[in-house]
Amino acid sequence: MTLRRKAIDFNEHFSQLVEMLNGIFAFNQKQQQQIKGMTMYQVVYDMCIAIPRPFTEKVFIGIAEYLDRHTLNECKRILKHDDIVTAYARAFRQFALAAEYMSRGCCYLDRIITSPAYSSNSRSQNGHQNYFANGKYKRQHVEALALQLWKLNVLFTIRDRYQNKLFYQVFELIRQDRDGADDAPHSTIKGVVTSLVQVNSFTEQPLQLYIEEFERPYLVHTKRYYEAEAAREIASGNISRFMKKAYQRLKQEIMRNNQYCHSTSHGRIVREFEAQYIAAYQDRIIDKFEVMLKNERFSDCTLVYKLLNRIPSGLKPILTIYEDYVAKLGQEIVTGLGLSVAKNPKAYIDQLIDLHSKYYQVNQQVFSSDSAFTAAVDKAFRRIVNDDDEQEHKANNNSSLSGPEILARYCDMMLKKNAGRKEALSSSTTNGSNGAPTTNKRKALMKKAMMEVDENDQEEKLMKMITLFNYVEDKDIFQKFYSRMLAKRLIYSTSSSEELEMNMINRLKEICGVEYTSKLNKMFTDMSLSNELNIKYNSFIKENNMANQVNMSILVLTAGAWPLNQQKEDAESDFNKLQIPRVLENNISSFEKFYGNQYNGRRLLWQWNLTRGEIRMNHFDKNYELQVSLYQMIILLLFNQDGAISLTDITTQSGLTMADTIRSIKPLVNMHILEKLDEQALSKVSEIKANSSFTSKRTKIKVTATSAQNEIQQQENAAARKSVDEDRRMYIQAAIVRIMKSRQMLPHVQLVQEIFDQANSRFSPSVVMIKKCIEQLLEKQFIARKERDTYVYVA
């Protein structure tokens, strides 16, 4: 190869170039073997730097005229075939490859033609900066020129002069492919469609031709095809089959897009399919969704999710249906349990936890763990646990027991001693009745079951309860009932494990904060201090040689931390009236003296209603020990002096009220420890005596007062609810004062909103209660009304 400029014969050199181009574009192997890349480059190079004048423009025009003729001939050859699509795809593939080879040999020509310096010289000579031959051929790379002439002489000619046969056949082949034809020429169709992008690849808008010639008509064909097919499928009336067909078609269309279309078209084409096959019939699908859930046709539910998830806001209606359905199932569980929930909260917790677990698994397996469906289940359980459907509760006569109360009762049941063992015993007995194993084997199974339950089951069940507790809005109600039940467990030593109790409190603290559990922690502190105090008191008794002391354990409880019903006034009046047994007077006076020495200035208020003790009966066939309340102990001791006593005399001698007397005697009569002298119901004139013929297999007997306990329980529940309302009023008033003190002045609406924000962690306040609290603070002059709807803080 030589780079020197020299004089050449243009016609001779160009004839050589034409022969080379013929070999390239004809794909003739013999001619191609004779062509060498450097030979073609040398010929073009020599013409572009010839002396005395280069033939650059003449070479470019000559190549353009050659390509012009060649593309016209290619168009004629293509149109001779019946299968224009295949002929076109093959011809363009060869032409595009030949144009690329030609461009490599003409790279020096491309460099000169497209240079800015040549543009200036060209414009000065013929007045056209970007065109040659009087504006016929644009100044550009020869490959771009070749593709442009193909577009003009082949594509546009077929479109404008031959009824666009090419794309008519393309769309017909795609229709056959949609109809299920097995021999669809995917690669051929892809070649035709790709040519639209390739011939425009050197322009400023390379996709414009593709969009105009293929994408827009393809969208029209897609709409018509699937509009008709979807109408036929839905007419069959089987929504399950319709969805399966829609999902199958969707996957096919996505695959077809990847095979035929440019990536920019995928979204638009799929959206057109969704509009005709899904959006047009989404109401029909939504109408059947609840039936699918009810019949547990989860495969159909998955199809509903996958189809409706593809259209805007498509999931909103089924999310509402899903939430309502789960809430309905939960409310049916509560309705079915009825009033038995109060006695057996375990069934309530277990069934709701099973429901929760089931639909969380449904979310994972059916709805691809979509957070929206998880949120729907959460909303449904908030409605269930918080008793949103008040009318339904009233209809079932269960309005007196709320979700937070049931959860607190369940915790009390699980945290009491032997709670898990009773369950294991019941389970083992049931299993044993089926097979009748030997006694030793049965005992071994029961023992093993009880050990496993004690170690693991209680902790696991409390964790499940926490799952439901997270949905509770009125957490203050749970706190009130839980604290009362915890107080009883601690006072009567019925708690199964201090570790379990503290774990439970720690979980509550994690969810609700330190303030929520501060009083609960104080209870345990009091119990620990009371243990230390009893040790010191026993030492005090020994050091002072105090005789006639009954073995007694005393709990000193902080008044503000323990939720005890008895008021101070009641305690004082009871102390003045109640006739404490003489055997206990020495203990009480000595402990008061001891406590006064330990803590100067503190005052003890005795809670007699919570006192329990053991009393021994010696006049029967054998000695019995009774576990009774203090009131029952006082009554029983009266029978040491008298044989038969009337209720009126008992109230006089004991200092108890008639109601407390009847409530205390009734369980003793029911257990035949005492007996009535008449068959009438207990009244003021009833006479009672000790039953000398009393006998029992047990020597240690716990006297329970079922009916009395129920009555007391109802009173305590009513007092707890009343206390909750009062605590809420105090909380809201304190929140109002805090907010107004920091803001000084606030409109009514903004004040109410900030109160909601602060109170939501504990309970959901009502607007009516907030208004009442604001009015009370206005009367107390903590705040003042500046304008009609604006408040100011009064320092």
Side-chain angles (χ1 to χ4, degrees), residues 159 164 167 170-171 174 178 193 196 205 207-225 257 261-262 264-266 268-269 272:
R159 183 193 67 182
N164 203 10
F167 283 99
V170 167
F171 292 131
I174 293 174
R178 285 172 171 163
V193 175
L196 297 175
Q205 295 178 325
L207 295 177
Q208 182 179 4
L209 181 65
Y210 164 81
I211 292 171
E212 292 176 355
E213 298 299 322
F214 178 77
E215 185 185 283
R216 289 175 185 170
Y218 186 57
L219 287 171
V220 174
H221 282 78
T222 301
K223 177 182 178 181
R224 291 173 180 171
Y225 185 88
N257 285 344
C261 306
H262 191 270
T264 57
S265 300
H266 293 178
R268 288 187 284 269
I269 294 167
E272 186 61 52

Side-chain angles (χ1 to χ4, degrees), residues 541-553:
I541 292 174
K542 291 178 181 178
E543 290 170 2
N544 291 275
N545 297 318
M546 294 183 178
N548 300 324
Q549 294 286 327
V550 177
N551 186 17
M552 186 168 66
S553 177

Side-chain angles (χ1 to χ4, degrees), residues 335-490:
T335 303
L337 294 171
L339 295 175
S340 66
V341 171
K343 296 180 180 178
N344 184 20
K346 181 179 179 300
Y348 174 91
I349 301 296
D350 288 348
Q351 291 186 45
L352 287 186
I353 285 295
D354 289 344
L355 183 69
H356 185 272
S357 300
K358 176 180 178 179
Y359 281 93
Y360 257 56
Q361 288 179 358
V362 168
N363 291 348
Q364 294 175 357
Q365 298 170 5
V366 178
F367 303 118
S368 303
S369 299
D370 193 315
S371 59
F373 284 85
T374 303
V377 174
D378 292 340
K379 290 178 183 177
F381 270 85
R382 286 191 187 94
R383 290 166 57 182
I384 297 166
V385 173
N386 295 294
D387 304 319
D388 281 358
D389 197 346
E390 295 180 1
Q391 297 300 325
E392 186 172 345
H393 271 278
K394 290 180 180 178
N396 295 319
N397 296 319
N398 196 27
S399 59
S400 61
L401 206 61
S402 65
E405 291 180 54
I406 299 171
L407 296 181
R409 287 174 183 268
Y410 179 78
C411 290
D412 183 55
M413 184 183 79
M414 295 309 302
L415 289 169
K416 279 184 176 178
K417 285 181 179 177
N418 300 327
R421 291 190 178 189
K422 290 179 182 178
E423 187 177 344
L425 183 62
S426 173
S427 175
S428 298
T429 304
T430 303
N431 293 335
S433 64
N434 294 331
T438 62
T439 303
N440 292 335
K441 186 175 181 181
R442 187 182 303 170
K443 287 181 179 179
L445 288 171
M446 290 166 59
K447 185 176 181 181
K448 182 179 180 182
M450 285 188 281
M451 290 176 62
E452 290 176 353
V453 167
D454 284 344
E455 293 175 0
N456 303 317
D457 199 53
Q458 287 175 283
E459 181 77 19
E460 181 183 347
K461 289 182 180 296
L462 289 173
M463 283 299 296
K464 290 180 179 179
M465 193 289 303
I466 290 293
T467 301
L468 295 181
F469 176 76
N470 284 318
Y471 296 117
V472 172
E473 292 177 355
D474 296 332
K475 290 183 170 62
D476 57 336
I477 295 178
F478 175 87
Q479 181 196 38
K480 184 66 67 176
F481 283 90
Y482 183 86
S483 62
R484 287 174 179 270
M485 294 170 185
L486 173 62
K488 289 183 179 180
R489 292 197 299 275
L490 294 178

